[in-house]
């Protein structure tokens, strides 16, 4: 097969992604306020091994050398998030200039190294001060979020030309308000739809504010997990429809089509409110792009699970990552074609894609061999190229993640990075997968035709 078979379109944006709370450490430094994750992780029993983000990857102090590392890998873009409580320690009102300055220096360093910044305003770390006022259950949060976004738009727009409002609102509500596995740790079928709706109202308000201040591009990032029926039964087919609407259509439908899928009323019953036309109008703002985070698929069957009455079926011949996610690159093709057909082929970035496989705590001999991650990345990048061949407007790819980091409630027990982090010394060691990815970038995908160099 000729090398040009996998060459990507000219200008395709190759990068890597991280999130503030997962890598920065020093969460209260220089006048920052606590976030819900600061509180959650310091509550006994909420994270594996009691792990917290107090140090994480110490990126707050090592940002300059981390940018040099990105440059050495050949990255053309870096997707990161800002910490709301670094910028506004109380969530609203007083601006912490030292927090703004930290991200301003980071952006300048990226640009000096020819790396384009993609800035995500919210990657799950709500200021604790706002959680005390109801957090995502308080309708006023739409205005609070727009205020926060506006501070950064005024400070960074122009240097930052690609903005994201929310990262994975589904995870925020499903993990944080329905099942309690993530901050703020609530478990309520009645709170979940309210949090969902206020997240999307906040998204709309932040986009609206950007149109008044900013001059570039803004979008929304969602996680998509294609659902496939476990059997030909009507019950499993109905379970797939519920699971698909809940996870995959819930946020994109209201953002791009102006309504929630009807299955949500079936799923939540009397807990699903009726929303006003004014709310829908606020949420449905023109977006310049969407970001899709893809990790796995779900083979789905009908069950008694709450509240979906649908559950995943493990595939006996599947390859699974350390987080229990099946490796299934065809699902990425299927979801991108589905998104194109449903939402009109809006410009799309793959804003996260990657895998946690076992890596040693220490990089012996300065090398980390990670053949399963290399295989995962190669297959998923080929899947993206196939989707482009099928007409999908895919503009870029951000591998998750640049660094091993704090995997939320799983602590440091799962490693997603293409760069190994020794948590005892903070030494960074590019894994073999990083070297593979660097070659992909250098050839704009052409090296995907080569066999893996095991």
């Amino acid at each position: 097969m000729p090398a040009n078979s996998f060459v990507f379109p000219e200008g395709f944006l190759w990068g890597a992604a991280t999130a503030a709370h997962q890598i920065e450490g020093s969460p209260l430094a220089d006048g920052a306020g606590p976030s819900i994750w600061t509180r959650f992780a310091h509550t006994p029993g909420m994270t594996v091994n009691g792990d917290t983000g107090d140090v994480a990857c110490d990126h707050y102090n090592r940002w300059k050398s981390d940018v040099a590392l990105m440059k050495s890998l050949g990255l053309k873009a870096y997707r990161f998030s800002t910490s709301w409580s670094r910028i506004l320690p109380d969530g609203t009102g007083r601006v912490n200039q030292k927090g703004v300055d930290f991200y301003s220096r980071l952006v300048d360093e990226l640009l000096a190294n020819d790396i384009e910044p993609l800035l995500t305003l919210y990657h799950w770390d709500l200021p604790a001060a706002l959680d005390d006022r109801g957090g995502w259950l308080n309708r006023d949060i739409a205005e609070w979020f727009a205020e926060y976004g506006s501070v950064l738009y005024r400070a960074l727009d122009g240097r930052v030309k690609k903005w994201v409002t929310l990262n994975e609102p589904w995870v925020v509500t499903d993990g944080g308000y329905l099942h309690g596995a993530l901050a703020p740790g609530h478990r309520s079928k009645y709170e979940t739809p309210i949090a969902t709706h206020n997240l999307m109202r906040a998204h709309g308000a932040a986009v609206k504010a950007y149109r008044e201040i900013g001059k570039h591009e803004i979008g929304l990032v969602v996680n998509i997990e294609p659902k496939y029926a476990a059997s030909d039964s009507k019950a499993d087919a109905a379970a797939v429809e519920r699971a698909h609407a809940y996870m995959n259509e819930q946020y994109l439908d209201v953002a791009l089509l102006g309504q929630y899928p009807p299955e949500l009323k079936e799923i939540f019953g009397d807990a699903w409110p009726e929303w006003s036309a004014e709310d829908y109008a606020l949420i449905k703002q023109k977006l310049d792009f969407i970001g899709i985070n893809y990790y796995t698929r779900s083979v789905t069957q009908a069950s008694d699970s709450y509240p979906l009455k649908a559950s995943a079926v493990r595939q006996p011949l599947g390859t699974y990552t350390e987080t229990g996610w099946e490796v299934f690159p065809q699902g990425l093709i299927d979801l991108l074609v589905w998104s194109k057909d449903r939402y009109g082929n809006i410009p799309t970035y793959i804003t996260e894609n990657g895998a946690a496989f076992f890596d040693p705590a220490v990089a012996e001999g300065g090398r980390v061999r990670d053949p399963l991650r290399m295989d995962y990345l190669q297959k998923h990048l080929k899947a993206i190229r196939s989707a482009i061949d099928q007409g999908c407007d895919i503009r870029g790819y951000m591998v998750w993640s640049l660094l091993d980091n704090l995997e939320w409630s799983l602590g440091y027990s799962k490693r997603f990075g293409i760069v190994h982090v020794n948590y005892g010394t903070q030494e960074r060691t590019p894994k073999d997968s990083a070297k593979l990815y660097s070659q992909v970038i250098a050839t704009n995908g052409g090296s995907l035709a080569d066999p893996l160099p095991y």
Side-chain angles (χ1 to χ4, degrees):
M1 182 178 293
N4 62 6
S5 296
F6 291 108
V7 172
F8 278 64
E10 185 176 355
F12 190 84
L13 198 58
W14 299 100
T18 65
H21 186 74
Q22 292 182 271
I23 69 164
E24 286 180 357
S26 305
L28 302 178
D30 296 327
S35 76
I36 55 174
W37 270 98
T38 313
R39 287 182 174 176
F40 189 79
H42 281 274
T43 302
M46 303 311 289
T47 66
V48 171
N49 299 320
D51 290 342
T52 74
D54 291 356
V55 177
C57 303
D58 196 31
H59 175 74
Y60 191 72
N61 297 306
R62 299 170 186 265
W63 58 273
K64 196 162 189 174
S65 58
D66 283 342
V67 174
L69 174 61
M70 298 176 211
K71 178 71 171 179
S72 73
L73 296 177
L75 298 188
K76 307 301 183 187
Y78 175 53
R79 177 179 173 241
F80 64 98
S81 74
T82 48
S83 164
W84 189 342
S85 54
R86 282 201 199 281
I87 307 302
L88 296 167
D90 302 315
T92 62
R94 175 177 59 89
V95 175
N96 177 32
Q97 190 59 42
K98 288 184 177 179
V100 177
D101 290 346
F102 168 70
Y103 294 111
S104 182
R105 290 191 300 270
L106 174 61
V107 167
D108 283 347
E109 190 71 13
L110 290 166
L111 294 174
N113 285 277
D114 300 316
I115 299 169
E116 181 170 0
L118 279 69
L119 192 156
T120 300
L121 291 172
Y122 188 72
H123 199 131
W124 309 356
D125 46 354
L126 184 72
L130 295 186
D131 194 51
D132 291 341
R133 297 165 68 181
W136 294 111
L137 303 177
N138 187 330
R139 283 182 61 86
D140 292 343
I141 201 166
E143 288 70 40
W144 301 339
F145 189 58
E147 177 187 344
Y148 158 56
S150 296
V151 171
L152 288 171
Y153 303 154
R154 292 188 182 99
L156 299 176
D157 191 60
R159 288 183 286 160
V160 174
K161 297 181 180 179
K162 290 182 175 62
W163 297 81
V164 168
T165 55
L166 307 173
N167 178 78
E168 298 183 348
W170 180 85
V171 178
V172 176
T173 59
D174 183 81
Y177 287 88
L178 184 61
H179 296 297
L182 303 174
H186 297 195
R187 294 181 180 179
S188 170
K189 183 176 77 169
Y190 291 86
E191 288 183 355
T192 302
I194 297 169
T196 285
H197 193 62
N198 285 333
L199 276 157
M200 296 312 295
R201 289 179 58 253
H203 156 78
V207 174
K208 191 174 180 181
Y210 183 74
R211 299 302 179 201
E212 296 171 359
I213 299 169
K215 295 180 172 60
H216 301 281
E217 296 184 335
I218 192 165
L220 171 70
V221 166
V222 295
N223 56 302
I224 302 291
E225 184 181 282
K227 311 296 181 182
Y228 302 84
S231 76
D232 294 331
S233 73
K234 290 182 179 179
D236 285 356
V240 164
E241 289 184 6
R242 290 191 300 274
H244 178 61
Y246 175 60
M247 189 169 187
N248 301 334
E249 294 179 339
Q250 180 172 188
Y251 298 94
L252 286 180
D253 271 20
V254 73
L256 298 175
L257 305 179
Q259 60 186 3
Y260 293 106
E263 290 86 354
L264 296 181
K265 180 69 175 176
E266 175 190 354
I267 293 165
F268 286 99
D270 66 342
W272 186 260
E274 297 297 325
W275 308 111
S276 69
E278 291 79 11
D279 282 0
Y280 284 120
L282 173 62
I283 294 169
K284 189 187 175 186
Q285 301 289 324
K286 178 184 180 298
L287 298 183
D288 299 300
F289 63 88
I290 58 171
I292 290 179
N293 297 348
Y294 175 77
Y295 291 95
T296 189
R297 70 160 173 175
S298 173
V299 177
T300 302
Q301 67 180 3
S303 71
D304 294 329
S305 71
Y306 171 87
L308 275 184
K309 300 192 182 305
S311 56
V313 180
R314 189 175 176 92
Q315 300 303 290
L317 298 181
T319 298
Y320 283 79
T321 69
E322 288 280 294
T323 49
W325 299 342
E326 184 188 4
V327 177
F328 193 74
Q330 179 63 42
L332 182 51
I333 301 173
D334 293 347
L335 83 85
L336 290 172
V337 172
W338 162 80
S339 178
K340 172 178 72 73
D341 293 344
R342 186 171 182 83
Y343 302 113
N345 210 17
I346 184 171
T348 299
Y349 293 85
I350 305 304
T351 37
E352 291 181 25
N353 175 244
F357 289 110
F358 174 79
D359 295 308
V362 176
E364 297 288 351
R367 183 179 181 186
V368 177
R369 296 170 173 84
D370 57 342
L372 290 176
R373 187 175 292 106
M374 294 169 70
D375 183 67
Y376 181 100
L377 293 178
Q378 186 185 69
K379 286 177 177 175
H380 284 80
L381 290 170
K382 287 181 176 180
I384 295 166
R385 190 66 187 85
S386 177
I388 292 172
D389 288 341
Q390 295 179 51
C392 298
D393 188 3
I394 313 301
R395 304 286 182 92
Y397 175 87
M398 307 294 129
V399 66
W400 186 270
S401 178
L402 174 67
L403 303 171
D404 290 335
N405 56 54
L406 178 73
E407 184 52 29
W408 305 106
S409 58
L410 296 177
Y412 299 101
S413 67
K414 309 298 179 189
R415 293 177 177 266
F416 276 89
I418 59 169
V419 174
H420 179 277
V421 176
N422 179 322
Y423 294 119
T425 65
Q426 291 296 334
E427 181 181 5
R428 276 79 158 134
T429 304
K431 303 174 188 177
D432 284 2
S433 58
K435 298 167 189 174
L436 175 80
Y437 188 46
S438 290
Q439 187 63 21
V440 170
I441 296 171
T443 61
N444 198 30
S447 65
L448 292 169
D450 300 335
L452 287 174
Y454 291 139

